[in-house]
Amino acid sequence: MQRFFFHLRDHVHSIIDPDGVELPDLSAARQKTLGAARDVLSADIKTGLLDLRFRIDVEDEDGQIVHSLPFAQAFAVIQDDNDGRSVAAFRR
C-alpha cells in the first residue's frame, strides 16, 4: 500500500490533505480523485454555482505530484447543438 495526499487548489488557495490515504496504486488514487472532484461538483451544482477553477493535485509520500485533475475534466456536458443534435462539450 502507498500513501497518497489529495490537495484541493485553485490559482490562489490550497486546502492541504495532511493525513493522506493508503491505496494500492496510482490507478486507485486516480479513481479516488475523480470521485472526490465529482462529489464537490455535485454539492456545488445544488447551490446553482459550478466553480471550475479548482483542481485536485495528488502527491505521493515523497511529496511529488503524481496526478492532477482540473475539475473541468471530471465530467462531460451533453447539450444540443444548433441543429438539434446532441454533442459532448467536454470529455473525460
Side-chain angles (χ1 to χ4, degrees):
M1 295 290 255
Q2 302 173 50
R3 184 165 297 273
F4 295 94
F5 300 85
F6 299 82
H7 308 305
L8 181 63
R9 295 182 168 128
D10 68 5
H11 298 291
V12 178
H13 304 95
S14 292
I15 300 174
I16 302 301
D17 173 6
D19 301 319
V21 176
E22 286 192 1
L23 296 168
D25 55 25
L26 181 55
S27 178
R30 287 175 184 259
Q31 287 300 314
K32 184 165 184 62
T33 304
L34 183 58
R38 288 177 175 171
D39 283 346
V40 171
L41 290 167
S42 66
D44 281 354
I45 203 155
K46 289 179 183 179
T47 68
L49 178 65
L50 190 59
D51 189 346
L52 299 178
R53 294 175 294 177
F54 288 91
R55 71 182 186 278
I56 297 176
D57 288 336
V58 181
E59 288 184 3
D60 64 12
E61 293 173 297
D62 296 325
Q64 299 297 312
I65 295 176
V66 294
H67 178 60
S68 186
L69 179 67
F71 276 18
Q73 294 178 8
F75 62 95
V77 175
I78 300 172
Q79 60 189 27
D80 289 340
D81 66 5
N82 293 338
D83 297 327
R85 294 177 295 196
S86 293
V87 294
F90 297 99
R91 290 227 182 253
R92 172 75 183 129

